[in-house]
Amino acid sequence: MFKRILIANRGEIAVRIIRACKELGIESVAVYSTADKDSMHVFLADQKICIGPPPASKSYLNINNIISAALLKKCDAIHPGYGFLAENAEFAMLCSKNNLKFIGPPEEVIRLSGNKSKAIEIMKQNKIPIIPGSNGNVKNEKEALSIAKRIGFPVILKSSFGGGGKGMRICNNPKELLDSFHITKSESLSSFGSDHTYIEKYIQKPRHIEIQIIADNYSNIIGIGERECSIQRRHQKLIEEAPPENISLKTIKQIKECAIKAASIIHYNNLGTFEFLVDSNENFYFIEINARVQVEHTVTEMVTGLDLIKHQILLSSGEKINQIDNNLTGIKQKGKAIEFRINAEDSENNFIPSPGKINNCFFPGGPGIRLDTFIYPNYIIPPYYDSLIAKLIIWGNNRTEAISRSKRALQEFHIDGIKTTIPFYKKILENKNFIQGKIHTHFIEEEFEF
Ligand code: ADP
């Protein structure tokens, strides 16, 4: 078992990982940029070390500084959280070269998961359902056009190395495709370091359903639960729930089997998520692998009672699944959990970022409420990083209870000094289609005007 883990992250996920370390009796080391010296993760960890100035490229993405910090603090492992270096195969490789256990899947798995078109190609070869498309990178406009004509418009152009909802363009006709092709390629190159681009049929109003996987070093793989992540804005998730509503158990079972098969094909190991799009006829298609812990892992924790971060750490230390928990294979999801991503954004003003000082805050409590956050009164949210400041996770015996509890919790929740997405979520909770579980990835743009 590890003695001391360096957490190569900040914000709520750093706090979350520190909590798991403490419960496992493992020492934690926080890294921070100078902009984060007053951040909660710095206070909660057993030790702290500054790794650079505010820009992420000079601190949280600075591989040399992070590895040096881990060696200086005599850590035996690094937890990357999500974002930043979590899916950086180079970083994972350098960790092992320096005898630091990277808490995540092996380097080759990270490399493959990061190359979305390659992962899709492999899934196709192994008969995992994928969306009709190029099944690999598209070389030029001519090829793009002929594929689009074969599969039919609309299509979506996607960066092979894209992520976070970025690097995608929907094209409704040949002109839009030709106009977008080079822009997508050059944006991919500047944002993701590669111009590799692929094409998929654009599925109308799909649902985003994903499977949480747990896999150990001994080829044991379990599907732990499924999540609905269809409430998105600009392809970025805002509200997630577990388990999904209004979908047959048969379809869920098939998606889960596919995810486990996909994980075994690529020798997946550690915690991971296999993402699928599901159309209105419940046809489902693999879209990508997230080789890390996800923001929304919490909803699965709430309905299973598991601590996925602790499991992740134990798996990385070499434990077998049945050593961690003999009952994992038969794990059942109980009730309903909904997560609201509380972002420092002005939801009444085109979601523009709203960093700054939190003059005061009051957090909701009572039955079924969990809050993962790093904010506190007088804390100043720096403008340099992503806008997620809290995750409000609600559990109810059923969806009706989870929704009424969510309304109550959002009413109690006060953050003064900055704008947040809380008012927007209050509106969503009054929406008839949301209440009935009639949701898809275009729900927000169809139901709300900005
Ligand atoms: P990222 O890695 O940036 O999150 P994904 O491939 O996971 O990108 O897609 C993010 C979201 O974009 C999906 O949840 C869905 O809403 C939308 N999307 C992606 N591909 C398609 C597609 N072929 N048809 C319709 N929507 C899509």
Side-chain angles (χ1 to χ4, degrees):
M1 175 52 106
F2 306 122
K3 225 177 126 277
R4 189 174 299 140
I5 297 179
L6 179 133
I7 294 134
N9 216 303
R10 65 179 301 281
E12 71 81 25
I13 193 64
V15 169
R16 171 74 189 84
I17 298 163
I18 292 166
R19 287 179 172 149
C21 288
K22 282 193 194 289
E23 290 183 24
L24 286 171
I26 300 172
E27 287 178 36
S28 53
V29 177
V31 296
Y32 64 100
S33 73
T34 49
D36 268 343
K37 67 176 179 20
D38 295 324
S39 204
M40 182 67 86
H41 73 290
V42 179
F43 301 133
L44 289 183
D46 297 304
Q47 295 193 50
K48 58 180 180 175
I49 181 162
C50 181
I51 46 157
S57 59
K58 299 203 159 105
S59 49
Y60 298 103
L61 289 170
N62 187 330
I63 293 181
N64 286 342
N65 284 9
I66 290 175
I67 302 248
S68 305
L71 295 174
L72 200 74
K73 291 287 184 185
K74 300 197 166 33
C75 296
D76 38 22
I78 297 191
H79 197 309
Y82 54 68
F84 294 129
L85 298 169
E87 287 164 288
N88 185 319
E90 202 66 20
F91 178 62
M93 185 197 72
L94 279 170
C95 286
S96 46
K97 270 198 170 163
N98 285 282
N99 279 330
L100 294 159
K101 181 76 193 159
F102 175 85
I103 300 180
E107 181 201 331
E108 318 80 68
V109 171
I110 300 178
R111 215 177 283 283
L112 173 66
S113 307
N115 187 343
K116 302 202 304 190
S117 58
K118 182 83 194 153
I120 288 170
E121 250 182 285
I122 292 179
M123 295 309 159
K124 183 170 188 217
Q125 284 158 12
N126 287 281
K127 309 219 163 5
I128 301 286
I130 55 154
I131 300 174
S134 55
N135 310 323
N137 295 319
V138 183
K139 285 189 240 34
N140 51 42
E141 288 156 306
K142 202 172 148 226
E143 191 187 351
L145 207 53
S146 102
I147 292 163
K149 282 187 179 153
R150 173 171 55 81
I151 60 178
F153 284 96
V155 298
I156 181 165
L157 271 174
K158 295 169 91 170
S159 304
S160 296
F161 294 88
K166 306 218 165 63
M168 289 187 272
R169 266 205 169 72
I170 300 154
C171 311
N172 291 298
N173 51 52
K175 184 178 178 308
E176 282 182 16
L177 179 63
L178 294 176
D179 289 348
S180 302
F181 190 71
H182 287 288
I183 306 174
T184 309
K185 265 178 129 34
S186 61
E187 278 177 2
S188 303
L189 184 63
S190 58
S191 305
F192 310 112
S194 158
D195 73 347
H196 287 186
T197 305
Y198 63 107
I199 295 186
E200 278 175 355
K201 171 97 187 142
Y202 188 65
I203 313 273
Q204 303 287 356
K205 301 188 193 175
R207 293 170 70 177
H208 174 123
I209 306 274
E210 58 185 35
I211 308 291
Q212 177 69 60
I213 290 288
I214 286 188
D216 63 19
N217 295 347
Y218 313 92
S219 308
N220 301 304
I221 304 173
I222 296 181
I224 274 304
E226 47 294 339
R227 297 186 283 257
E228 162 94 58
C229 308
S230 302
I231 305 290
Q232 306 178 351
R233 183 177 166 272
R234 299 196 173 156
H235 306 307
Q236 284 178 324
K237 300 163 187 167
L238 287 177
I239 300 177
E240 300 96 342
E241 64 182 82
E245 197 71 9
N246 294 338
I247 185 164
S248 71
L249 287 175
K250 185 170 156 249
T251 304
I252 287 291
K253 186 167 170 274
Q254 287 171 347
I255 300 177
K256 204 166 170 179
E257 281 165 5
C258 258
I260 294 171
K261 182 177 165 196
S264 103
I265 290 164
I266 61 165
H267 305 292
Y268 200 92
N269 172 336
N270 209 257
L271 216 64
T273 300
F274 286 69
E275 297 189 331
F276 295 82
L277 291 186
V278 182
D279 70 16
S280 50
N281 296 319
E282 296 198 1
N283 298 308
F284 61 89
Y285 312 92
F286 163 86
I287 51 167
E288 70 160 343
I289 306 155
N290 283 156
R292 55 174 163 82
V293 64
Q294 283 191 286
V295 175
E296 62 271 23
H297 74 277
T298 51
V299 284
T300 303
E301 291 187 323
M302 294 294 268
V303 292
T304 57
L306 299 174
D307 183 323
L308 292 175
I309 305 280
K310 279 201 227 169
H311 282 37
Q312 191 185 21
I313 294 171
L314 295 172
L315 290 169
S316 290
S317 77
E319 287 203 19
K320 281 190 179 164
I321 284 179
N322 59 7
Q323 272 176 290
I324 299 173
D325 182 344
N326 227 342
N327 300 320
L328 271 185
T329 317
I331 194 98
K332 295 260 180 317
Q333 300 173 97
K334 184 171 175 277
K336 170 76 74 182
I338 308 180
E339 173 180 273
F340 299 85
R341 297 191 187 196
I342 313 295
N343 296 334
E345 289 170 4
D346 185 353
S347 52
E348 260 133 49
N349 192 6
N350 208 21
F351 291 79
I352 55 162
S354 175
K357 184 169 174 190
I358 296 184
N359 297 327
N360 212 342
C361 48
F362 180 83
F363 295 152
I369 312 281
R370 165 174 169 182
L371 189 70
D372 282 20
T373 186
F374 60 105
I375 63 166
Y376 56 87
N378 295 321
Y379 174 66
I380 298 172
I381 297 162
Y384 309 100
Y385 314 109
D386 83 36
S387 58
L388 182 70
I389 55 166
K391 300 188 313 202
L392 176 65
I393 310 114
I394 308 294
W395 184 87
N397 281 296
N398 50 48
R399 197 164 187 270
T400 309
E401 186 176 56
I403 288 179
S404 58
R405 211 166 247 175
S406 299
K407 283 188 193 169
R408 193 261 296 164
L410 286 167
Q411 267 151 18
E412 284 178 21
F413 206 161
H414 284 282
I415 302 178
D416 298 332
I418 58 154
K419 300 277 188 193
T420 73
T421 42
I422 292 175
F424 183 53
Y425 295 144
K426 286 184 182 164
K427 284 189 207 158
I428 291 187
L429 287 171
E430 298 299 334
N431 180 285
K432 201 169 87 263
N433 285 331
F434 180 82
I435 293 168
Q436 291 174 2
K438 291 185 184 158
I439 50 183
H440 50 77
T441 57
H442 290 259
F443 168 83
I444 287 183
E445 64 194 59
E446 262 185 19
E447 301 286 333
F448 296 91
E449 274 179 23
F450 298 107

